Amino acid sequence: MNTKKITVATAWLDGCSGCHMSFLDLDQQLFDLIAQIDIVYSPLVDAKELPAMVDVGILEGSISSEDDLDKARLFRQHCKLLISLGDCAITGNVPALRNQFKLADVLNRAYYETATVQAQIPTRGVPALRVPVKPIHGEVVVDVFIPGCPPRAGAIGYVLTELLAGRVPDPSSVTRFGA
Ligand code: SF4
């Protein structure tokens, strides 16, 4: 097995963080992996600046806002291999449900019709929403897809283990959509 550590960056775009929680569910295997990988940027660690080049980028969630699009492009630019983690990243899944409606109707529903206090649509300090919501590969090239909502921890461990071994992983052999 290749003994060189690989650098890994992760981020969640429009997701619920469940895919990242599944990553943490690797439990004991996570300790084994940490000996072989460096997590250089992630909500899970303190480092918040994406290095110039990273071996593996992992993105959870769909592209629903301008910030999501910027982050996806940043990861594509700085990561040698980009992984879409979970059904929201791969199909749009839950966030893409709003594609069935006009954005104005969605905002009215969320911020006026169901508001009990201070009914108003926030405009400051929040990224502009995009129409339509897209999967990651709808905007940037993705190399590996790990389906599931969330993907099982074992599937994430399998992919990282294969990469460490210098092989191209085939996650379809260990997981499926909605698994
Ligand atoms: S795929 Fe499921 S677990 Fe992952 S971010 Fe989307 S809703 Fe959450």
Side-chain angles (χ1 to χ4, degrees):
M1 177 178 287
N2 188 354
T3 55
K4 182 176 174 289
K5 279 193 171 189
I6 63 171
T7 51
V8 174
T10 83
W12 64 63
L13 308 183
D14 192 6
C16 73
S17 80
C19 292
H20 272 73
M21 294 306 108
S22 196
F23 181 55
L24 293 179
D25 280 344
L26 280 168
D27 296 331
Q28 181 56 46
Q29 193 183 358
L30 192 56
F31 286 100
D32 300 336
L33 282 169
I34 288 297
Q36 302 172 72
I37 67 175
D38 270 336
I39 300 179
V40 293
Y41 175 99
S42 172
L44 304 174
V45 300
D46 286 336
K48 300 300 180 209
E49 191 164 332
L50 194 62
M53 192 48 67
V54 179
D55 291 321
V56 179
I58 301 175
L59 289 177
E60 165 193 322
S62 58
I63 296 176
S64 303
S65 71
E66 296 298 337
D67 275 9
D68 296 334
L69 180 57
D70 290 346
K71 185 65 70 67
R73 286 176 172 165
L74 191 72
F75 264 57
R76 181 64 280 177
Q77 190 179 353
H78 292 270
C79 299
K80 294 177 190 168
L81 183 135
L82 189 61
I83 296 175
S84 265
L85 179 65
D87 291 354
C88 292
I90 298 173
T91 69
N93 199 28
V94 178
L97 290 175
R98 80 161 157 88
N99 288 344
Q100 303 172 64
F101 308 97
K102 291 180 180 170
L103 179 58
D105 291 342
V106 172
L107 293 173
N108 279 332
R109 180 70 178 159
Y111 291 107
Y112 286 111
E113 295 173 21
T114 57
T116 53
V117 293
Q118 294 186 329
Q120 59 183 317
I121 295 174
T123 55
R124 283 186 295 176
V126 291
L129 294 177
R130 292 181 57 81
V131 177
V133 173
K134 287 185 182 179
I136 307 289
H137 67 278
E139 290 289 347
V140 300
V141 173
V142 170
D143 303 300
V144 176
F145 298 85
I146 309 178
C149 182
R152 288 183 305 103
I156 300 170
Y158 160 80
V159 167
L160 292 175
T161 302
E162 288 292 285
L163 290 173
L164 282 164
R167 294 188 289 266
V168 177
D170 175 17
S172 66
S173 64
V174 293
T175 188
R176 59 184 168 80
F177 290 99

